[in-house]
Amino acid sequence: MGRKKLLIVDDQIGIRILLLEVFATEGYETFQAANGRAALEIVRNHAPDLVLLDMKIPGMDGLEILKKIKEMNREIKVIMMTAYGELDMIKEATDLGALMHFTKPFDIDEMRIAVNMQLGDDGPPSRYAIGT
């Protein structure tokens, strides 16, 4: 079995770069997309194990992207990221199959632990998990 695949979908390049660096270091094969169309293309071609999905993306919003991801492959895990406390949208995302959400600015260690928990079903977790 190859490395776990992680797709980061966010229109803010700074967040994508930060998350890419963190999760590449964790040993995941990482992909990134700035919009829904690119994200769905990656889902179609690479079938990521988990998607970190921003709720507010110009064009196709996070809920729409989430629906389409789940239509393509119900097995893909999705964690939502949002800068706003949109409880109704978060509830809808959960109803559509999102596992959890992080409010920006999120704690990168908490995000890393959550992703490792979701994807860490084959092999021991990182020995360098928490703290420095």
Side-chain angles (χ1 to χ4, degrees):
M1 168 112 184
R3 292 188 304 165
K4 295 279 186 170
K5 292 184 268 195
L6 180 70
L7 168 59
I8 297 151
V9 186
D10 198 304
D11 57 316
Q12 293 175 281
I13 183 131
I15 290 179
R16 290 201 314 271
I17 289 169
L18 170 70
L19 292 171
L20 277 171
E21 285 176 1
V22 167
F23 291 113
T25 305
E26 291 288 306
Y28 297 112
E29 187 178 342
T30 50
F31 302 90
Q32 62 166 320
N35 58 55
R37 195 170 35 246
L40 295 172
E41 192 67 24
I42 291 166
V43 168
R44 197 172 291 114
N45 295 330
H46 300 283
D49 298 289
L50 189 143
V51 179
L52 293 174
L53 178 56
D54 189 25
M55 194 81 88
K56 284 282 190 200
I57 294 183
M60 199 186 303
D61 75 7
L63 289 175
E64 229 179 300
I65 297 167
L66 174 61
K67 276 183 199 146
K68 289 185 171 18
I69 288 171
K70 289 296 187 178
E71 282 167 15
M72 291 160 77
N73 183 344
R74 300 230 34 99
E75 300 304 304
I76 294 174
K77 297 177 176 182
V78 180
I79 294 177
M80 303 302 291
M81 300 180 290
T82 176
Y84 315 92
E86 299 142 329
L87 290 173
D88 51 334
M89 281 180 81
I90 289 164
K91 183 186 179 323
E92 190 176 342
T94 307
D95 292 344
L96 289 169
L99 297 167
M100 58 176 66
H101 74 277
F102 280 88
T103 305
K104 295 176 184 174
F106 44 76
D107 180 314
I108 195 68
D109 273 332
E110 285 178 20
M111 174 76 83
R112 193 162 46 82
I113 289 164
V115 168
N116 285 335
M117 257 174 39
Q118 294 299 334
L119 295 181
D121 53 1
D122 60 353
S126 166
R127 291 189 327 190
Y128 309 103
I130 310 170
T132 47

